[in-house]
Amino acid sequence: PVERRLIPRPDSLGLGERVHFVGGLDDPERFVAVADLLVLPTRHDPWGIPLIEAMAAGIPVVTTEFAGAATVAVEAGAGVVVPARSPRALSESIGRLLADPDERRAMGERAWRAVKPFGLKAHVEAVLAMYERALAAKGRA
């Protein structure tokens, strides 16, 4: 039902050639990799996985304080956080970044480095270490 409402909308806004509905994909990273930036204007997203995925592809992000991973992006200098209900701040941040390819490139490089700790290998190592600590605490290590 949502798709039926959304598909005609780009044409009605004169954006038909620029918006594509591609459906479910096995390789969405190919679309992320060519993006200039990721915008997640969420009002509630406790983790913000799309931010981490974009950052892993070297894409700077613009989001709100309600995206859990917003702090990762800001601390890394890889993103901009705006108030959740501020279209003006969102628009200004997007415009500023789109106008500055050098800054986007630098943010993308910082983004990629910042999310390395969230990769599969790092996650597995952290889980194993947690289990080892738990076993040691029980005297079974």
Side-chain angles (χ1 to χ4, degrees), residues 4-18:
R4 273 188 264 127
R5 287 194 322 261
L6 290 177
I7 288 176
R9 186 129 171 102
D11 287 333
S12 71
L13 296 171
L15 300 172
E17 296 296 316
R18 297 179 68 187

Side-chain angles (χ1 to χ4, degrees), residues 44-103:
H44 176 75
D45 192 338
W47 178 229
I49 298 246
L51 299 179
I52 298 297
E53 291 173 339
M55 290 171 64
I59 306 300
V61 299
V62 177
T63 191
T64 70
E65 69 271 18
F66 292 113
T71 56
V72 174
V74 169
E75 288 171 4
V80 177
V81 175
V82 300
R85 296 175 190 258
S86 179
R88 174 171 281 149
L90 182 68
S91 175
E92 288 171 357
S93 294
I94 292 168
R96 183 178 54 80
L97 288 174
L98 290 177
D100 191 344
D102 292 334
E103 177 61 12

